[in-house]
Amino acid sequence: MSSAPPTPPWSVHRLPRADGRVFLVTGANAGIGYFVAEQLSATVVLGSRNPAKAEAAATSIRAHVAGARVRAVRLDLADLPSLRTVAESLEVERLDAVVHNAGVALDDPPREETGGGHELMFGTNHLGHFALTGWLMPLLAAAPAARVVTTGSFAAKSERLDLDDLQSLQDYRPKRAYGRSKLAQMYFGVELDRRLRAAGSSVASVVAHPGGALDSLTPSRPPVHVRTTGARLSAAPAGLLLQGKHAGAWPAVRAVLDPSVRGGQLWGPRAFGLRGEPRREPVWDHLADGSVAARLWDASRDLTGVDPG
């Protein structure tokens, strides 16, 4: 009796092909999102609020990946009403995965808001992806085993949500607000999978984080990203602990392509959660708090008018 050949070990240098599958990557015109899109060898739709930058990214991907099928759609996560039309603009019958990667990070005050009156980082990073998932769910459900991959951040590990001040109206500190917005995203990814399982859905939700990913350790992709010799040399010591954004993309790419990945899991870099090939991590203790996740879900549903689950 013949047996199926063993599945080869996962390697970031020998990714499985995904011919015929369709993926959407938000924030794909630069940074980690660009490299996620470059590494997914399939039909990839680049979601970006800047059409010119998205086209530049698409051109770069085609130059580096033979036969890449890449196109762009306008996607502004800070503009919640506009997200209603994204699914139609994809012009596909199904969606095999969406990678929630786009994000805004502010370093300095003052506090800023979206056009809808939400704190900019919470509104874009979390509420935008929350609502987008709801509008994409019919396309995801039409695929045999679609995945929602939410890209969190190692910065969220030390943060805790203030459920009474999700929009940082009472105490705004930019770096903390960013970390909490990413933590909210990660709570969403875990809670979404719990709800999908309860509903018997074929869609799975996975959370990933890139570890410590720096521009100065990232290979050049002109005009999307250009690394100077000076930047490369000055960043060499950091390379002992951190990595470039091409490597920061690996956990999300594995979450999309690896058939052994399951919903509700957390994936990050192997070495101290900061660098290296992707591995499964235990879900962080505070991230496993279902009561916080449920309250955040209810608040997000009320703020967006959308229920993804």
Side-chain angles (χ1 to χ4, degrees):
M1 178 182 294
S2 62
S3 60
T7 302
W10 182 267
S11 170
V12 298
H13 304 296
R14 295 187 303 275
L15 297 176
R17 296 192 61 82
D19 297 326
R21 296 166 71 186
V22 182
F23 306 132
L24 169 64
V25 182
T26 71
N29 61 274
I32 291 169
Y34 168 84
F35 284 98
V36 169
E38 185 183 281
Q39 292 167 28
L40 292 174
S41 54
T43 298
V44 181
V45 181
L46 313 182
S48 172
R49 61 183 174 180
N50 188 314
K53 290 183 177 180
E55 287 300 332
T59 299
S60 177
I61 291 172
R62 295 187 192 105
H64 286 88
V65 181
R69 301 178 62 188
V70 188
R71 60 188 179 87
V73 297
R74 188 180 184 279
L75 176 63
D76 186 354
L77 292 162
D79 183 0
L80 293 179
S82 73
L83 300 178
R84 293 173 179 264
T85 62
V86 171
E88 183 178 346
S89 70
L90 296 179
E91 298 180 344
V92 296
E93 295 182 354
R94 74 172 198 277
L95 187 62
D96 294 281
V98 56
V99 180
H100 292 326
N101 165 84
V104 174
L106 302 181
D107 293 326
D108 302 300
R111 180 180 176 279
E112 297 184 31
E113 293 187 349
T114 67
H118 303 299
E119 189 277 316
L120 185 61
M121 290 182 281
F122 180 76
T124 303
N125 302 352
H126 171 60
L127 294 181
H129 284 118
F130 183 93
L132 177 63
T133 303
W135 296 118
L136 293 177
M137 195 54 69
L139 291 178
L140 292 163
R147 293 182 181 177
V148 177
V149 177
T150 299
T151 304
S153 171
F154 201 72
K157 194 168 189 177
S158 60
E159 293 295 345
R160 300 295 184 272
L161 292 183
D162 183 347
L163 291 167
D164 296 319
D165 190 26
L166 288 172
Q167 310 249 26
S168 301
L169 284 166
Q170 300 172 26
D171 184 9
Y172 176 72
R173 305 178 201 176
K175 292 187 184 302
R176 187 180 67 178
Y178 171 75
R180 288 181 173 180
S181 74
K182 299 303 289 184
L183 178 58
Q185 276 190 271
M186 298 173 80
Y187 269 117
F188 163 63
V190 173
E191 178 67 7
L192 175 63
D193 193 73
R194 188 192 70 76
R195 292 175 182 243
L196 291 170
R197 298 288 69 72
S201 174
S202 62
V203 182
S205 174
V206 186
V207 179
H209 74 86
L214 303 179
D215 279 331
S216 54
L217 294 172
T218 303
S220 288
R221 291 291 190 272
V224 176
H225 169 68
V226 178
R227 181 176 65 162
T228 65
T229 301
R232 179 174 58 83
L233 294 175
S234 63
L240 297 174
L241 293 174
L242 306 176
Q243 59 190 356
K245 294 189 174 180
H246 63 302
W250 292 342
V253 170
R254 183 166 188 176
V256 171
L257 294 179
D258 188 347
S260 71
V261 171
R262 296 290 179 263
Q265 293 180 347
L266 172 64
W267 288 78
R270 183 173 302 278
F272 307 107
L274 292 174
R275 71 184 306 273
E277 293 218 6
R279 68 172 177 91
R280 181 184 174 187
E281 296 184 18
V283 174
W284 304 337
D285 289 345
H286 61 300
L287 195 56
D289 189 331
S291 63
V292 172
R295 289 180 61 190
L296 173 66
W297 186 284
D298 290 345
S300 303
R301 180 194 58 214
D302 293 344
L303 289 168
T304 63
V306 180
D307 191 339

